[in-house]
Amino acid sequence: MPDEPWLDEAEQRAWRSYLHMQRLLTVRLSSRMQRDFDLSAADYEILVNLSEAAHGRMGPGELAEATQWEKSRLSHHLTRMERRGLVSREPSRTGRYPDVQLTEAGRAAIRRAAPAHAADVRALFVDVLGPQHLARFAEDCRAVTAALDAEQRPPTPAAGPEPGPPA
């Protein structure tokens, strides 16, 4: 690792190219999902996770881990999805908190949206990269993910005693 904290020109170009591509791709895919299926990207992420879970059901902890969302964000979003009939909360079989269950309306929504989303991903990403670049990109993503998973975060410093009045 270089002593200099700044990215050199090639590193900066690569990093910013990635950020720009990621932003554009996310916005394009999200806007199409919203326009064509009245689903936000967040709705779609929840529906995908539930549709791939056994019996379309997950505990809130598993769902938070799968999405990397904080519990508060997940809870608020599930409430909105529940009001729209896409998910329900059912008594948990194993935990203290209610499980999240994919409803028939949620299952129908993912069945309608998934093929179009896959076609958009293919057209905007897969076909643009082609098989060789796609394989390399997947390999590079796994390397970055492995490094992030292995990263040791320093422990949070323990809070000291509350300061008292000046002596």
Side-chain angles (χ1 to χ4, degrees):
M1 185 187 298
D3 291 333
E4 180 66 37
W6 306 111
L7 300 177
D8 68 27
E9 192 176 323
E11 293 165 336
Q12 186 74 262
R13 188 171 42 254
W15 176 243
R16 289 191 177 180
S17 292
Y18 162 75
L19 290 176
H20 185 67
M21 182 254 341
Q22 189 267 343
R23 244 184 264 113
L24 287 176
L25 192 56
T26 298
V27 167
R28 186 73 45 88
L29 292 170
S30 297
S31 65
R32 288 180 180 183
M33 184 69 59
Q34 188 70 56
R35 180 193 68 211
D36 297 343
F37 301 101
D38 197 28
L39 294 172
S40 68
D43 293 337
Y44 188 76
E45 184 174 3
I46 296 293
L47 293 174
V48 166
N49 277 285
L50 289 173
S51 71
E52 293 174 349
H55 309 293
R57 185 180 188 122
M58 293 177 82
E62 315 174 74
L63 195 50
E65 187 175 329
T67 59
Q68 295 293 293
W69 291 5
E70 294 197 14
K71 289 178 186 177
S72 175
R73 176 184 179 197
L74 180 63
S75 178
H76 288 293
H77 196 80
L78 290 174
T79 297
R80 289 189 295 273
M81 290 181 75
E82 196 170 18
R83 280 189 207 124
R84 293 169 49 214
L86 300 171
V87 300
S88 63
R89 296 185 204 197
E90 304 295 333
S92 175
R93 298 177 194 159
T94 58
R96 183 172 118 183
Y97 300 104
D99 286 344
V100 182
Q101 177 71 53
L102 185 63
T103 64
E104 284 308 313
R107 193 171 306 284
I110 192 74
R111 281 190 189 128
R112 279 190 312 273
H117 180 69
D120 285 343
V121 169
R122 177 172 303 287
L124 299 171
F125 183 75
V126 173
D127 291 346
V128 172
L129 288 179
Q132 288 181 319
H133 289 292
L134 189 64
R136 176 58 197 234
F137 186 79
E139 189 178 309
D140 293 343
C141 289
R142 282 191 297 273
V144 171
T145 301
L148 290 169
D149 288 344
E151 181 183 52
Q152 295 295 320
R153 297 186 189 274
T156 305
E162 288 292 317

